[in-house]
Structure formats: structure tokens, C-alpha cells
Amino acid sequence: MQMAVKAAAEKRAEDIVVLDMQNISLIADYFVIASGSSQRQVQAIVDNITDQASSVNHVEGQKDSPWVLVDLGDVIVHVFTPEARDFYKIENLWSDAPVVDVTALTK
């Protein structure tokens, strides 16, 4: 989770939120949610995460997609354009999940 947050922050991802899913869902331990200001920045964020990850199970979404999902096993990363993030409101879908403080990781 820390690697994904740092990699996203390195590419100036905005509004990085980490949800602790361990007691909420069997899908993953953490969801990392971030925004890129454009589809190009979304792809740069995704590329940096996948380059730094020790293993990537799957990437869902095309290069020009407003939402790309990166499956890192116990961590699922969602990178959105601001419009797509506002439309899908994924944080609201999982509102029962505790939010992890990542302030120290994004500086």
C-alpha cells in the first residue's frame, strides 16, 4: 500500500485516499484511490505504480480510460480523472471502510 501511495504521489496524483478493507471485503486489504488531472496523467500515475510494483496481477482500463484499476494482490489501486471519480463515487460505495492516514507518505 505504501509503495502505491508513494508512486502515485511522485506523479502528482491528487486526493489520494486509502481505505482499509480488511474487515469489510475479501477483495483486498486496501483500496488506494487517486485522481489525475487528465487521462495522460492517469496513465503516468498507473505506469509509475506498475513500474515500482514487485508484481502486478492485472491492469484494467485502456490508455485513454478515465478510470484504471491496478490489482496488486492485497492492494487494489483505482486511478481516476476528476470527472470519473465524481461520477463513480467509489469512496461512497465503501463508506464503512476506515480511511488510512497517508499524509506522511505523500510528502
Side-chain angles (χ1 to χ4, degrees), residues 3-89:
M3 177 284 302
V5 171
K6 287 180 181 181
E10 286 174 3
K11 292 300 178 180
R12 300 182 190 221
E14 300 169 355
D15 300 322
I16 300 172
V17 174
V18 176
L19 302 178
D20 182 343
M21 304 297 289
Q22 295 176 80
N23 296 319
I24 305 295
S25 173
L26 298 175
I27 296 171
D29 290 344
Y30 296 96
F31 277 4
V32 176
I33 304 165
S35 296
S37 60
S38 65
Q39 289 175 331
R40 180 175 286 212
Q41 186 183 18
V42 166
Q43 192 59 50
I45 294 164
V46 168
D47 288 345
N48 202 40
I49 292 168
T50 58
D51 287 348
Q52 292 187 35
S54 57
S55 69
V56 176
N57 291 344
H58 185 70
V59 176
E60 185 71 36
Q62 303 298 320
K63 286 207 179 263
D64 293 329
S65 179
W67 177 10
V68 179
L69 180 146
V70 182
D71 180 354
L72 301 173
D74 59 345
V75 176
I76 304 290
V77 182
H78 302 269
V79 186
F80 294 94
T81 60
E83 299 82 14
R85 188 168 178 176
D86 185 53
F87 180 80
Y88 290 105
K89 299 181 189 310

